[in-house]
Amino acid sequence: MAALRKIKSPYCIIVLLIMLIIFLLSYNSCNPTTETVDTGALNSQPPADKIVADSRINNSLLQLLRRTTMQDRTVIITMVGQEWASPGSVLDLFLESFCIGEETKHLLNHLLIVALDSKAFQYCKTVHPHCFYLSNSSTRYTKKKQLSLPQLRNKFWQEVIELAYSVVFTEVDVMWLRNPILQVDCLKEMTIACDVYSDDLQNISYVKDGGFFYLKSNAITSEYFKYQDMTRILFPDSQNRTLCEETVVNEELFETLSLRVNYMEQDRYGGFCQQNINMDTICTVRANCCDDTESKLHDLKLLLEDWRSFTKKNSLRGSSPPYTWRAHSICKG
């Protein structure tokens, strides 16, 4: 990480100036605001709602959050567009993984599917009870603004965080074979499936993103998203970076904000980019390194078939015999 830190150090002053601007804007703002609440440990009792009345808040979103929240005010969220939301699609396999995973089926009660277009929203309502249509007019932070998809996602997460709900986000092509939430460090602001131990972190294309993260609802994560607003103006290309890449590129910012990051153990998450996956410990598998949706669907189906076979043999033998995944067969590892 030392080499990367040398590269980033000239930007330290810019980061501090941005933070000062954010502080002054927040201090002098006369607009209605929403209090942020530190939800504390995952096993703590949920705090009462402390949300200032704001007519811009989407009541539909608020009701869905209340309906899907866990006892500690944590909600599982995924986002999907029409390409992956139709009969036999990636979304169907994603939901299936919850049904056949180890102690994951009950988590569907806490899953909010965010549709990125009307077709995905209509299909979502046929397969899952908790669906929300995200558009440039559906949240208080996006109304009357034309935002790109990365900006829209960030604004949505910011709104959920500032409504005092913690977020467990999962990409829809991530299969849940075991409960990854058990790997969350509730004392830190972020837990993420992200391989930051590559030999070449100066090139963020080498950073492996597991498609899963947890964001704790508190003032620190809220400030982080305010910073993102400023950086997208100063550095437009930065809006396309994933949160996994942000933890590498903006390490100094995270330190400035005191935003603590917990990286999941690498044997708990995997993907088709990897050659070997340990069935005894794996929680989530992402269908990355796929050239197209057809390849992704093919290998995901193999993955779930292999998982069924593995769990069946385990239950019969009472132990974990050596087992080889067939997936990935088309996607490139």
Side-chain angles (χ1 to χ4, degrees):
M1 301 294 284
L4 188 62
R5 190 174 286 110
K6 289 179 182 178
I7 294 175
K8 295 183 295 180
S9 56
Y11 297 100
C12 187
I13 295 176
I14 295 176
V15 169
L16 292 174
L17 287 174
I18 290 174
M19 295 307 303
L20 178 61
I21 293 171
I22 292 172
F23 172 78
L24 292 174
L25 289 175
S26 301
Y27 184 81
N28 291 309
S29 176
C30 59
N31 293 325
T33 58
T34 300
E35 295 184 23
T36 56
V37 179
D38 187 334
T39 60
L42 285 176
N43 61 359
S44 63
Q45 292 297 317
D49 282 341
K50 295 183 177 180
I51 302 170
V52 176
D54 189 336
S55 60
R56 295 172 297 171
I57 294 176
N58 187 304
N59 287 327
S60 175
L61 173 60
L62 195 55
Q63 290 301 318
L64 283 166
L65 291 172
R66 288 171 176 168
R67 198 182 309 157
T68 55
T69 185
M70 301 178 194
Q71 204 169 24
D72 64 332
R73 296 178 68 87
T74 298
V75 177
I76 304 169
I77 295 174
T78 193
M79 295 183 176
V80 66
Q82 61 181 325
E83 183 181 6
W84 291 358
S86 60
S89 64
V90 174
L91 177 59
D92 285 354
L93 297 178
F94 172 73
L95 295 174
E96 183 181 344
S97 74
F98 280 81
C99 294
I100 66 174
E102 288 185 3
E103 299 182 4
T104 53
K105 188 172 184 178
H106 71 282
L107 296 174
L108 288 171
N109 297 322
H110 307 292
L111 171 66
L112 174 60
I113 299 176
V114 177
L116 301 175
D117 52 64
S118 59
K119 289 185 178 179
F121 181 58
Q122 292 303 320
Y123 183 71
C124 177
K125 290 190 293 183
T126 68
V127 295
H128 190 66
H130 313 304
C131 304
F132 179 73
Y133 181 16
L134 179 62
S135 68
N136 276 294
S137 62
S138 57
T139 74
R140 60 190 170 129
Y141 287 125
T142 62
K143 286 183 178 179
K144 298 180 181 180
K145 298 179 182 179
Q146 289 300 315
L147 302 179
S148 65
L149 178 57
Q151 294 169 355
L152 196 60
R153 285 163 62 115
N154 282 345
K155 284 300 184 183
F156 179 78
W157 292 329
Q158 179 182 358
E159 175 141 1
V160 174
I161 290 292
E162 295 188 356
L163 288 172
Y165 290 91
S166 296
V167 173
V168 168
F169 178 77
T170 173
E171 297 288 357
V172 76
D173 64 347
V174 173
M175 302 295 105
W176 284 45
L177 306 181
R178 293 185 177 92
N179 184 359
I181 301 175
L182 299 177
Q183 309 305 315
V184 166
D185 183 347
C186 57
L187 298 179
K188 295 182 178 179
E189 281 72 32
M190 182 190 303
T191 293
I192 189 166
C194 178
D195 182 3
V196 295
Y197 303 105
S198 169
D199 293 332
D200 188 8
L201 284 179
Q202 295 185 43
N203 185 345
I204 60 174
S205 65
Y206 285 89
V207 177
K208 297 176 183 176
D209 187 350
F212 171 93
F213 62 76
Y214 162 82
L215 288 176
K216 185 176 183 177
S217 174
N218 65 13
I220 294 174
T221 50
S222 177
E223 285 300 309
Y224 169 73
F225 283 110
K226 292 176 183 177
Y227 161 82
Q228 289 283 53
D229 268 352
M230 300 296 293
T231 55
R232 73 180 176 85
I233 297 173
L234 297 175
F235 309 106
D237 290 342
S238 67
Q239 67 179 348
N240 295 317
R241 289 198 294 258
T242 66
L243 194 57
C244 173
E245 293 167 344
E246 284 289 320
T247 65
V248 176
V249 175
N250 278 329
E251 185 182 3
E252 290 180 356
L253 168 67
F254 281 49
E255 292 174 356
T256 301
L257 290 173
S258 298
L259 197 161
R260 298 160 295 178
V261 180
N262 171 52
Y263 293 99
M264 284 177 61
E265 296 291 332
Q266 292 187 42
D267 63 347
R268 299 292 182 175
Y269 66 95
F272 292 164
C273 292
Q274 296 174 233
Q275 295 301 323
N276 298 305
I277 296 174
N278 186 346
M279 275 197 170
D280 293 325
T281 59
I282 198 72
C283 292
T284 63
V285 179
R286 186 177 188 186
N288 47 16
C289 290
C290 299
D291 292 333
D292 51 54
T293 300
E294 185 178 347
S295 299
K296 189 184 292 281
L297 285 169
H298 177 273
D299 281 6
L300 282 176
K301 289 175 183 177
L302 285 183
L303 172 71
L304 296 185
E305 288 174 8
D306 285 349
W307 177 253
R308 283 193 182 91
S309 179
F310 171 77
T311 53
K312 183 178 180 180
K313 289 181 178 180
N314 258 11
S315 63
L316 292 175
R317 298 185 186 186
S319 61
S320 298
Y323 197 92
T324 303
W325 298 90
R326 288 179 298 164
H328 48 91
S329 72
I330 298 181
C331 297
K332 300 173 183 178

